[in-house]
């Protein structure tokens, strides 16, 4: 899981990219707390071949990336 809450872009995207490059997981959960981070991580994940499902997680966004 990548917890990027409280961080501004491009940090959430960078953390997600490192998690993908280090393990190429079939599923990865990413927590963010801004709409901008949500959009940027979604854009990156789609480009990396992941399907993204977004849900509200205690007032933040939880993105579930799956291949």
């Amino acid at each position: 899981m990548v917890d990027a809450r409280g961080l501004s872009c491009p940090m959430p995207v960078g953390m997600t990219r490192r998690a993908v490059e280090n393990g190429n997981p079939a599923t990865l959960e990413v927590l963010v707390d801004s709409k901008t981070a949500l959009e940027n991580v979604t854009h990156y994940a789609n480009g990396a071949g992941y399907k993204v499902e977004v849900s509200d997680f205690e007032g933040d966004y939880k993105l579930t990336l799956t291949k």
Side-chain angles (χ1 to χ4, degrees):
M1 175 182 283
V2 173
D3 187 349
R5 294 175 290 181
L7 301 173
S8 58
C9 281
M11 290 300 299
V13 174
M15 293 171 68
T16 302
R17 180 180 46 82
R18 279 189 294 284
V20 167
E21 290 175 354
N22 286 337
N24 195 25
T27 302
L28 177 66
E29 292 182 341
V30 181
L31 299 176
V32 296
D33 60 0
S34 75
K35 193 76 159 172
T36 300
L38 168 68
E39 292 169 356
N40 291 341
V41 170
T42 297
H43 180 75
Y44 164 76
N46 287 333
Y50 285 89
K51 177 182 152 198
V52 179
E53 181 180 322
V54 178
S55 57
D56 189 349
F57 180 74
E58 298 177 9
D60 297 325
Y61 300 102
K62 180 172 109 176
L63 293 79
T64 304
L65 286 55
T66 54
K67 280 217 174 188

